[in-house]
Amino acid sequence: MSDSLNAPEAPSPAPHTPGASVRHTRAKGEPRFPDGPKADPAGSHFERRIRSFQPRRSRVTAGQADALQRLWPLWGLDIDGGRVIDLGELFGNDRPVVLEIGFGMGEATAQMAAADQDTNILAVDVHTPGQGNLLGLADRNGLSNVRVGNGDAIILLREMLAPDSLDGLRVYFPDPWPKKRHHKRRLIQPEFLSLAATRLRPGALVHCATDWEPYAEQMLEVLTAHPDFENTQADGGFAARPEFRPLTRFEGQGLDKGHVVNDLLFRRVPHQDRTHEPHQG
């Protein structure tokens, strides 16, 4: 276990009764979680562009609501685009930081955080129940190396992270947007990779996984063609699932049904080897 568990700059939440919840009858117009994640942290008119996600704030259990109310002020980050954040200050240490975009209910994120407590994970999603669930898992397992971001990962990358500040990027099972007319909504596009490259340190690992084979092929094509990244696989193809990525319940169900899951592992090309300056997405 890392000594970061006892670091004074990552305070533990106040003691609480397991299973207890915060029950409150809201007045009209009152925020659902007064001290928790904002419904639209960057403002609905921050910019006009196609989004690769749809915010969902329904079906929050009592336990998830309790975690959001208690833990968000300690471990939450609203992505408002208003400032460049200091990751060392956010985590209370200078350990490497990996950005995870889209963590679902957070089980795999919590497992990876527990298995490697010398790496900080900034996990971003817009799914309120998942945010509460991950905060609760981090609390129960004593994980001080997890921070939960709420909002648009593009705004986070473009407006709130310093150049070369990340040591890795994880995108597991993003929305495949299977209809052809919706392919433009897919996250893994050349413009997104160019933006991400400016925030990733040379040698940083980009790890994607999907069970939608046409999207996997597009990911492989786009990543292979991008001059800021190189495939870690000698054959230029997909990678076997690395041990550090847990097999999730959702993934296991898909495998039982015959789905094929593809992992992609690419590294950020060192600056001196780049042949062009990436444009902002």
Side-chain angles (χ1 to χ4, degrees):
M1 301 290 282
S2 168
D3 59 5
S4 65
L5 294 177
N6 300 315
E9 57 272 18
S12 297
H16 70 289
T17 303
S21 63
V22 178
R23 296 186 181 277
H24 174 66
T25 300
R26 287 184 293 140
K28 185 176 181 181
E30 181 182 349
R32 186 173 187 181
F33 305 106
D35 297 319
K38 294 181 175 62
D40 188 9
S44 58
H45 300 294
F46 188 88
E47 62 184 332
R48 290 183 178 274
R49 63 176 169 80
I50 295 171
R51 301 295 176 89
S52 63
F53 63 89
Q54 295 177 335
R56 296 172 293 160
R57 295 176 66 87
S58 61
R59 297 182 181 179
V60 177
T61 68
Q64 292 162 359
D66 177 64
L68 287 166
Q69 304 247 101
R70 290 188 304 106
L71 303 170
W72 191 261
L74 293 173
W75 296 332
L77 172 69
D78 274 312
I79 300 170
D80 56 14
R83 68 196 190 284
V84 175
I85 60 176
D86 184 326
L87 292 175
E89 180 179 328
L90 181 68
F91 285 94
N93 58 62
D94 59 357
R95 297 187 179 101
V97 178
V98 171
L99 173 63
E100 181 178 358
I101 300 177
F103 55 80
M105 295 306 291
E107 293 98 337
T109 305
Q111 289 182 55
M112 290 186 288
D116 182 10
Q117 295 192 28
D118 288 329
T119 296
N120 295 322
I121 301 177
L122 175 53
V124 175
D125 210 309
V126 293
H127 188 215
T128 312
Q131 293 167 350
N133 201 59
L134 178 53
L135 287 170
L137 289 169
D139 182 23
R140 291 191 294 274
N141 291 283
L143 303 174
S144 65
N145 60 330
V146 175
R147 298 292 182 270
V148 179
N150 168 53
D152 189 341
I154 300 295
I155 294 176
L156 174 69
L157 284 164
R158 194 184 63 211
E159 309 290 344
M160 299 180 70
L161 292 177
D164 296 351
S165 58
L166 297 173
D167 289 86
L169 173 65
R170 296 168 180 169
V171 183
Y172 299 154
F173 304 99
D175 193 326
W177 295 102
K179 295 181 180 179
K180 186 174 182 179
R181 69 176 183 273
H182 290 156
H183 285 184
K184 59 189 176 183
R185 297 181 180 272
R186 290 175 172 175
L187 180 63
I188 306 301
Q189 306 276 6
E191 296 81 6
F192 169 77
L193 293 175
S194 293
L195 172 60
T198 66
R199 303 305 184 241
L200 289 163
R201 292 193 176 105
L205 186 68
V206 174
H207 183 194
C208 302
T210 180
D211 64 340
W212 191 259
E213 291 187 81
Y215 194 10
E217 294 290 348
Q218 178 189 325
M219 287 181 178
L220 182 61
E221 179 181 350
V222 171
L223 278 160
T224 299
H226 202 288
D228 286 329
F229 299 96
E230 60 184 6
N231 200 333
T232 64
Q233 306 304 298
D235 63 359
F238 298 109
R241 178 177 65 87
E243 291 185 0
F244 67 80
R245 184 176 75 77
L247 182 69
T248 65
R249 181 172 63 252
F250 168 80
E251 182 180 358
Q253 292 171 349
L255 292 172
D256 289 342
K257 296 176 183 177
H259 295 183
V260 176
V261 176
N262 286 297
D263 284 72
L264 300 95
L265 293 169
F266 279 70
R267 288 202 181 278
R268 172 74 163 83
V269 175
H271 289 287
Q272 59 267 29
D273 294 341
R274 284 162 48 194
T275 58
H276 82 303
E277 285 298 321
H279 61 280
Q280 295 281 343

